[in-house]
Amino acid sequence: MRIVSIDPASGFCGGVIRAIKTAEDYLASHGGTLLSLGEVVHNEEELARLESLGLVTINKDALGKQSGVSPLMIRAHGEPPQMYSILSEYGYQIIDCTCPVVLKLQKSIREASAKGRIVIFGKKGHPEVLGLVGQVDGGAVVVEGISEMQEAVLAGKVDLGSPVQLFSQTTMSPEGYAELAAFLRERCSGDLEIHETICQQVAHRHRDLTEFASSHDVVIFVSGRHSSNGKVLCDLCRSVNERTYMVSRVEELDPAWFQPSDKVGVSGATSTPKWLLEQIARTIEKI
């Protein structure tokens, strides 16, 4: 008999919960629409639910095309200081939902910029990373791993003989950050300061997810296609359980993945809603 269980540690992180609740509360009390600068969560199914309530996602190019003064939400990823100035000029009513963990990281980067070269371990182009780089007017080097760190050194973007301040995007792999930190410790002759900026909820998630994935025959990892955190966590699952499959919605489930006696685990990214995990689990039970 197939057993299906949902990872108890999966689901929205605190920052995403706060942003979504803020949007729901505003729409429930004010009605109409609420603008979101970028996707409030990298999950297509949850976005569709929020859009049905009146949340409208816009990009930066559309800012000057909105008529009148509109309420606009800044999502948990945060934005660079320049964006706040632009929004004020256009007359938007700002509802700031930047995650407190991200706000703390932004402040730390601003303060550390006077102490040495800022290096950020993160996904290039990720909205959180763009907000972090914006804290120092672009004066930071973003690397996604050791090979890019080596390239930055060869290109003269980072001088390992001078002070270096190392930070991480909040949702990156703790293991990957530890490897990069060790690499720099071995090679930096100048002062090196390593800041522990990965969200603790995310860090614990990696440890717990490894145990969850290894204790099941099959893992169905539920994540939006644009979720950086989802890709990292799904790869982590697959590293300990080769029968790991990523889906973003129920329709993507394949009956060929399952055997009648399988113990199936359903998990998800920090941007995956609990209701979707439950929907996926119920469907697997019926296959």
Side-chain angles (χ1 to χ4, degrees):
M1 179 180 177
R2 183 180 301 139
I3 299 175
V4 182
S5 59
I6 297 174
D7 181 358
S10 60
F12 291 149
C13 65
V16 172
I17 290 173
R18 176 173 171 265
I20 288 178
K21 186 176 187 306
T22 299
E24 290 174 333
D25 289 349
Y26 181 91
L27 290 166
S29 60
H30 293 80
T33 61
L34 171 64
L35 302 180
S36 172
L37 184 55
E39 296 179 347
V40 66
V41 60
H42 293 317
N43 184 277
E44 298 82 357
E45 300 295 292
E46 178 66 4
L47 279 177
R49 185 187 74 82
L50 292 170
E51 286 169 2
S52 72
L53 300 178
L55 186 68
V56 177
T57 301
I58 64 170
N59 58 32
K60 295 177 177 64
D61 294 335
L63 288 176
K65 301 174 184 178
Q66 301 293 321
S67 60
V69 179
S70 304
L72 181 142
M73 183 173 72
I74 292 178
R75 54 191 171 168
H77 297 102
E79 290 287 342
Q82 301 92 322
M83 181 52 64
Y84 288 85
S85 299
I86 292 171
L87 294 175
S88 294
E89 289 175 8
Y90 281 129
Y92 285 100
Q93 173 194 340
I94 299 174
I95 301 174
D96 196 345
C97 293
T98 304
C99 173
V101 176
V102 175
L103 283 173
K104 181 180 179 181
L105 172 53
Q106 291 177 345
K107 180 181 178 183
S108 295
I109 287 178
R110 290 195 301 271
E111 293 175 346
S113 63
K115 301 178 182 178
R117 185 58 154 161
I118 301 294
V119 177
I120 299 172
F121 174 52
K123 295 292 182 181
K124 294 177 180 177
H126 188 280
E128 180 189 321
V129 174
L130 295 176
L132 298 178
V133 173
Q135 303 302 314
V136 288
D137 294 324
V141 175
V142 179
V143 298
E144 297 188 10
I146 292 173
S147 62
E148 290 190 2
M149 186 71 247
Q150 292 173 321
E151 292 172 5
V153 172
L154 290 174
K157 295 178 180 179
V158 178
D159 180 3
L160 298 183
S162 299
V164 174
Q165 297 282 318
L166 181 64
F167 293 87
S168 175
Q169 176 184 338
T170 60
T171 56
M172 293 296 281
S173 161
E175 293 77 15
Y177 191 45
E179 290 176 1
L180 182 59
F183 174 86
L184 289 176
R185 285 193 186 98
E186 292 175 0
R187 292 162 176 79
C188 280
S189 56
D191 291 336
L192 171 66
E193 188 169 358
I194 298 167
H195 300 263
E196 298 302 325
T197 56
I198 292 178
C199 173
Q200 285 303 300
Q201 185 176 354
V202 172
H204 293 156
R205 183 88 178 85
H206 280 245
R207 180 197 62 207
D208 296 341
L209 187 56
T210 298
E211 297 176 2
F212 183 81
S214 61
S215 64
H216 290 82
D217 299 308
V218 182
V219 174
I220 301 302
F221 195 86
V222 189
S223 173
R225 295 301 177 185
H226 302 298
S227 170
S228 173
N229 169 257
K231 184 181 184 305
V232 169
L233 293 181
C234 186
D235 287 346
L236 176 62
C237 280
R238 196 171 284 117
S239 71
V240 297
N241 188 330
E242 61 181 11
R243 292 178 69 192
T244 294
Y245 305 96
M246 178 184 277
V247 301
S248 58
R249 52 197 178 95
V250 168
E251 290 78 8
E252 294 174 1
L253 290 169
D254 186 343
W257 295 339
F258 310 102
Q259 298 298 322
S261 60
D262 278 339
K263 184 178 180 183
V264 182
V266 177
S267 190
T270 55
S271 54
T272 304
K274 282 283 190 182
W275 66 260
L276 183 55
L277 296 173
E278 293 167 354
Q279 186 182 74
I280 294 283
R282 289 195 300 268
T283 303
I284 295 171
E285 290 172 342
K286 297 174 183 177
I287 291 177

